[in-house]
Amino acid sequence: MRLSELTRMLARAPKGADRWHAYADFRAEARRRLPKMVFDFVEGGAEGELTIAANRAAIDRLELAPSYLVDVADRDTSTTVLGRPVSLPLLLAPAGLATLVHREGELAAARAAAAAGTVFAVSTGSGYSLEDIAAAAPDGRRWFQLYLWKSPEVVQSLVNRARDAGYEALVLTVDVPVVGKRERDLRNGMSLPPRIRWNSALDTARRLRWLRHLITGPGITFGSLVELGIGDDASAIGAYVDRELADPSRTWDDVVWLRREWDGPLLVKGVLTPADAEAAVRWGADGVIVSNHGGRQLDSAPGAFAALPRIAEAVGHRTEVLVDGGCQRGADVVKARALGARAAMGGRSWFWGLAAGGEAGVARMLEVCRTDVDRTLALTGCRRFDDIGSDIVA
């Protein structure tokens, strides 16, 4: 992280930020600041949330096997992703509607990721347009996450705009043939835009800071879809997303088409089996992201870290493998590498940082992760993140 940027962000850090030392601290602060329906929107998953539990359980089952009396005085947390260096092996995973938790939304996340020397994967569902996010952090590494919308013209337009705005890679999310059943949102009446019901009015009224962000921010919408002329208010965008996002007729033939349209790196996200990983590589992907959509799609899916080793064994020698699902600590990032991932990704973690303190909150979250990765390297007897092998996990 550049010293001037770190100094600027820390100066803007909210009071009490020096007490945020772990994922749980950012989550607790976010819970304090956000209305219940918004917190549940970020926190929740599909149906009984078994997949969310499986993500965490798969990580917790892994034990680290340290080696001592090894010279670890000079340590290096950097690695390469898609052949380019990152100083922190935790990438910001795509997650939509960040303006729901903070008015600066993805702009803040993009700046914090750039300062930390890591990648920000921008969601199709971002509150700001992909062009505005690119302008907020022109020196940062940005990927653009894409769905295969029902309209080929919408997909083509988004691909062209990502290219023109200098996005490095496309991340194709394939695990949404239909939208998962998110029961917390159904119970809370969570919608786009948020509708405050009588039973949530008092809870919302107590979050004056959040209400101020909602009123003074850009509004709750999908910024990149507004640019398409689909609608300039959240209700119109919400109706369009409900109608057009999921297309259960899509197949690997559509990946072949996308590969022809995009000449940069292409990653396929939502892979949980070696067969799908093999198919992704066969049809032109430059990387696969082992992910179950943060537990928000298929309930009873395997934890991402449980699926990772077989996928890494099947395609890791031919393509980049990343993992997204349940990472909360620097030790989790080390475990991801030991299981065969190039790096790990996290979505809820940067959302909690954003909700807790905006750009400074995301920056603090990334710095905590960097410190934890560095400490775990020392305690396991590894000088460099790239030195981590399968022998350090049991």
Side-chain angles (χ1 to χ4, degrees):
M1 178 181 292
R2 291 182 285 274
L3 181 60
S4 60
E5 293 172 329
L6 175 61
T7 301
R8 174 178 59 83
M9 283 185 284
L10 291 180
R12 295 175 56 193
K15 184 178 180 181
D18 57 344
R19 297 194 298 271
W20 302 339
H21 303 293
Y23 178 96
D25 299 328
F26 294 100
R27 179 181 176 276
E29 182 65 17
R31 187 167 205 159
R32 187 178 71 83
R33 290 173 179 250
L34 299 175
K36 181 180 185 299
M37 65 176 177
V38 176
F39 179 87
D40 280 355
F41 169 75
V42 180
E43 174 85 351
E47 302 184 34
E49 301 186 350
L50 299 175
T51 303
I52 290 181
N55 274 341
R56 193 60 234 171
I59 298 172
D60 290 341
R61 280 195 297 268
L62 298 167
E63 297 178 348
L64 293 171
S67 295
Y68 295 124
L69 293 180
V70 177
D71 182 357
V72 289
D74 297 313
R75 298 179 299 280
D76 183 1
T77 62
S78 68
T79 188
T80 59
V81 176
L82 294 180
R84 295 179 57 191
V86 292
S87 64
L88 176 65
L90 178 71
L91 285 54
L92 273 58
L97 292 175
T99 50
L100 193 59
V101 303
H102 192 281
R103 65 185 168 206
E104 292 189 349
E106 296 84 8
L107 306 184
R111 290 190 292 260
T118 193
V119 174
F120 179 31
V122 175
S123 170
T124 292
S126 58
Y128 289 91
S129 72
L130 60 93
E131 291 86 358
D132 287 343
I133 297 166
D139 297 331
R141 291 185 64 185
R142 297 175 310 279
W143 300 348
F144 183 67
Q145 176 270 330
L146 183 71
Y147 294 106
L148 289 171
W149 298 80
K150 288 181 180 178
S151 167
E153 292 76 21
V154 169
V155 178
Q156 184 71 70
S157 174
L158 290 169
V159 169
N160 292 342
R161 289 167 60 192
R163 181 186 297 111
D164 293 343
Y167 282 76
E168 173 189 338
L170 283 185
V171 177
L172 176 64
T173 297
V174 297
D175 56 5
V176 190
V178 297
V179 177
K181 181 185 179 184
R182 298 168 193 172
E183 295 178 6
R184 292 203 208 192
D185 293 347
L186 293 172
R187 295 188 188 103
N188 291 332
M190 182 63 191
S191 61
L192 186 65
R195 290 183 172 86
I196 301 173
R197 296 176 170 181
W198 67 268
N199 59 344
S200 63
L202 179 59
D203 174 63
T204 303
R206 293 170 54 206
R207 270 68 180 188
L208 295 178
R209 184 186 290 107
W210 178 81
L211 283 170
R212 186 168 65 250
H213 277 274
L214 188 67
I215 293 168
T216 61
I220 306 304
T221 186
F222 285 9
S224 294
L225 298 188
V226 171
E227 298 292 325
L228 289 170
I230 292 168
D232 58 2
D233 67 87
S235 296
I237 293 289
Y240 180 86
V241 170
D242 288 343
R243 186 177 66 251
E244 297 290 330
L245 170 61
D247 185 350
S249 71
R250 295 295 193 173
T251 69
W252 288 107
D253 290 339
D254 297 291
V255 178
V256 175
W257 170 83
L258 185 61
R259 178 70 283 177
R260 289 198 303 265
E261 297 299 314
W262 176 261
D263 55 6
L266 173 65
L267 299 101
V268 173
K269 180 177 180 288
V271 174
L272 288 173
T273 65
D276 274 0
E278 293 274 8
V281 174
R282 183 165 62 251
W283 298 118
D286 301 290
V288 296
I289 302 174
V290 182
S291 169
N292 51 39
H293 215 103
R296 295 164 76 82
Q297 280 297 104
L298 173 65
D299 209 19
S300 295
F305 275 63
L308 172 59
R310 289 197 304 145
I311 292 172
E313 182 179 1
V315 301
H317 58 293
R318 288 179 286 155
T319 194
E320 201 101 320
V321 177
L322 302 170
V323 64
D324 172 26
C327 270
Q328 297 180 5
R329 297 183 178 275
D332 300 342
V333 180
V334 170
K335 291 176 180 180
R337 185 53 176 264
L339 294 182
R342 168 63 58 178
M345 305 183 78
R348 288 184 179 90
S349 55
W350 72 261
F351 252 59
W352 297 145
L354 180 68
E359 181 182 346
V362 181
R364 172 68 177 167
M365 182 278 296
L366 291 170
E367 195 59 28
V368 166
C369 182
R370 185 195 307 277
T371 302
D372 287 352
V373 171
D374 177 76
R375 182 185 304 107
T376 305
L377 289 179
L379 292 172
T380 54
C382 296
R383 293 182 62 184
R384 301 167 62 248
F385 186 76
D386 283 349
D387 291 340
I388 295 169
S390 60
D391 57 318
I392 76 162
V393 292

